Amino acid sequence: MVASVTNLGRSGLYDWVVQRLSAVILALYTLFLLGFLIASPDLQYGQWQGLFAQTWMKVFSLAALISICAHAWVGMWTISTDYLKAAAIRFAFQLVCAGFLFVYLVWGIDILWSV
């Protein structure tokens, strides 16, 4: 049996749980933001900045940012293992995806905690 070193978890069940948990966090974050926008029809920049300046919102946003990266990684790993049969191409694709996700995560953290 070949061990895959590029998947997020050690098993398909673990990856499935990560995918579903991250989807729930992203759904809650989206619903919260939509609710906030609907509840504040005359939203001003100061209110928006005030919301994201609060520590709980930064933590919630960080959880959403990590969730989107984990969700994307599991999805891209699944796609690459299903459709890319050549190991070198699959590894290169996964490496590029990991690089983009890392940059996205670091950039998002920088933006989030600089508010």
Side-chain angles (χ1 to χ4, degrees):
M1 184 165 144
V2 177
S4 178
V5 295
T6 57
N7 67 335
L8 189 61
R10 297 183 190 269
S11 69
L13 177 62
Y14 182 82
D15 288 343
W16 184 87
V17 170
V18 167
Q19 190 95 23
R20 297 320 178 262
L21 182 62
S22 64
V24 168
I25 292 170
L26 291 170
L28 291 173
Y29 189 74
T30 301
L31 289 173
F32 172 77
L33 286 180
L34 283 174
F36 183 79
L37 290 172
I38 291 169
S40 308
D42 58 342
L43 185 64
Q44 300 294 319
Y45 176 74
Q47 294 168 304
W48 189 252
Q49 185 182 23
L51 173 66
F52 280 91
Q54 297 180 37
T55 304
W56 67 268
M57 187 62 186
K58 288 183 179 184
V59 171
F60 193 24
S61 297
L62 182 62
L65 186 62
I66 292 169
S67 293
I68 201 166
C69 288
H71 193 91
W73 178 255
V74 172
M76 295 311 295
W77 179 85
T78 303
I79 289 169
S80 69
T81 56
D82 285 349
Y83 296 107
L84 300 176
K85 299 303 179 191
I89 294 172
R90 183 175 53 241
F91 182 74
F93 176 77
Q94 291 173 351
L95 189 64
V96 168
C97 287
F100 275 111
L101 288 174
F102 178 75
V103 168
Y104 176 71
L105 181 64
V106 170
W107 192 13
I109 291 170
D110 182 47
I111 291 169
L112 184 62
W113 290 96
S114 66
V115 173

